[in-house]
Amino acid sequence: MNSTQPFRFGVVASQAPTGAAWLDHARHIERLGFDTLVTPDSIAHGLSVLPMLAAAATATTRLHLGTYVLANDFRHPVLVAKDATTLAVLSDGRFELGIGAGHPGTGPDNAMLGRTFDQPGVRVSRLAESVGIIRRLLDGETVTTTGEHYTTTDAHVVPYGTQPHHVPLLIGAGGTRMLTLAGQHADTVALGIPLDADADTAAKLIERVRDAERSRPVPAPAGASAASPTPAPVELNVNLMAVGDAVPRYLADRIDPTALAASGALSVVTGLPQDMADQLRDRRERLGISYLVVSEELVDAFTPVLRILAGE
C-alpha cells in the first residue's frame, strides 16, 4: 500500500546526567526539526519514562513526546490511561502513547516487580485486554470490566473541566497476533522487524497490519446528512539502527552497516544525505513507512537527511 502520509522523524533517548541536561537535550532535538522525542520503558536502565516526558513537555512547545514503548505488564491499564491523560494535558496535546507486550529483555524487569514473564501468547492476550480499556478511558468513558486479566469498576480518568486531548496510540508489533491487534487499534504501528529484514519481509508484515486495518468498523457519520469520515491510514514506523557509518555504541560490535545495506535491510540507510533521503522516499512509496526514529547517538548523522525530506 502506497502512502502519501508526510514524513515524521523522532529521536529515542533515555539517558541524562542531570535534569538540566535532559531539558537542554529536548530543546536541542526540537530546534533541529525533529517531530518527536520518545523514550523506552525500563526499570533497570535509564531514567523513568513518564517523568522524563513530563519534564520535556515543560521545556518544549512543538515537539511531540511519546513512550517507545511502555511494557504493558508493568502497570494496570487504568493507571496507564490516567498518566496518558495527564501528560496530554501537561503537553497541550503533544503526548503519544506507545505500548507493547514486552520483549524478552523486559523479563528481568518483571522479576524486579515480582512478576513472571509469561509466554508471548499470554502477554499478547493481556495487552489486547489492556488496550481496549485504555482506549475507552482516553475517550472519556467510564469503564467497568471483568476480564481474564483485568477488572475495573467505574473507572474514569479525564478530570471534570479538563480540556480533553486525543492521545494517539502506537503499538509495537512483530508477530502475527500483535500485527493484527495493532492494525485493529493503533494510530501508529512500530514494526518490530529483524535487523536484516528486507522490503519483501517487511511487506508481508505490513500486509497483516493493512488486513486488520481494513476490518475496522467505519466511524458513524457526525450527522444525518454527513458522510462518514475517512480515517487516516495507520502510520508505519521503523527504528533505524544505522545512518551511514554511524552506529549506536550498543550495536557497534554486532552489525555491519555496509553488509546490511548491501542485503537491502530496512534498518539502515547509507550513502550521502541525498542518497539516504531517496532510500526513505522509496520505502514510503513502496511500503508506506513514513515515521522514522533514530537513537540519540545518530542525531548528528541523520539531521542532514531530515532537512532534505522536511523540505518537501
Side-chain angles (χ1 to χ4, degrees), residues 61-86:
T61 59
R62 178 193 58 80
L63 194 66
H64 279 228
L65 308 158
T67 52
Y68 196 78
V69 297
L70 290 185
N72 182 64
D73 284 357
F74 291 177
R75 304 166 186 84
H76 192 281
V78 174
L79 291 176
V80 172
K82 184 65 176 182
D83 285 338
T85 298
T86 300

Side-chain angles (χ1 to χ4, degrees), residues 33-228:
F34 284 88
D35 301 288
T36 62
L37 175 61
V38 297
T39 52
D41 192 18
S42 175
I43 298 173
H45 305 287
L47 298 175
S48 184
V49 52
L50 298 173
M52 288 187 82
L53 296 175
T58 69
T60 56
T61 59
R62 178 193 58 80
L63 194 66
H64 279 228
L65 308 158
T67 52
Y68 196 78
V69 297
L70 290 185
N72 182 64
D73 284 357
F74 291 177
R75 304 166 186 84
H76 192 281
V78 174
L79 291 176
V80 172
K82 184 65 176 182
D83 285 338
T85 298
T86 300
L87 281 164
V89 171
L90 294 178
S91 66
D92 195 23
R94 292 181 286 131
F95 177 67
E96 303 180 10
L97 175 62
I99 194 166
H103 57 81
T106 61
D109 282 343
N110 278 44
M112 292 173 68
L113 298 172
R115 298 175 182 171
T116 59
F117 189 68
D118 295 318
Q119 292 298 312
V122 175
R123 289 185 281 115
V124 173
S125 295
R126 190 155 50 233
L127 175 65
E129 196 174 311
S130 178
V131 165
I133 294 169
I134 291 168
R135 187 70 272 168
R136 292 176 61 192
L137 289 169
L138 292 177
D139 288 342
E141 294 185 37
T142 297
V143 179
T144 296
T145 60
T146 301
E148 180 182 357
H149 302 286
Y150 300 107
T151 297
T152 68
T153 303
D154 294 333
H156 55 280
V157 301
V158 180
Y160 176 76
T162 300
Q163 176 64 41
H165 295 281
H166 173 68
V167 178
L169 180 65
L170 176 148
I171 295 178
T176 301
R177 286 185 64 201
M178 282 294 300
L179 292 164
T180 299
L181 174 67
Q184 291 171 336
H185 296 283
D187 298 281
T188 301
V189 177
L191 296 170
I193 58 175
L195 281 171
D196 59 353
D198 60 12
D200 290 339
T201 300
K204 294 174 184 177
L205 304 184
I206 292 167
E207 187 56 34
R208 293 190 183 277
V209 173
R210 297 305 184 196
D211 284 344
E213 181 183 9
R214 285 189 282 268
S215 71
R216 288 187 180 192
V218 178
S225 61
S228 297

Side-chain angles (χ1 to χ4, degrees), residues 249-271:
R249 284 189 297 272
Y250 75 96
L251 287 175
D253 59 351
R254 294 171 50 193
I255 68 172
D256 179 346
T258 302
L260 285 172
S263 70
L266 299 182
S267 63
V268 303
V269 286
T270 57

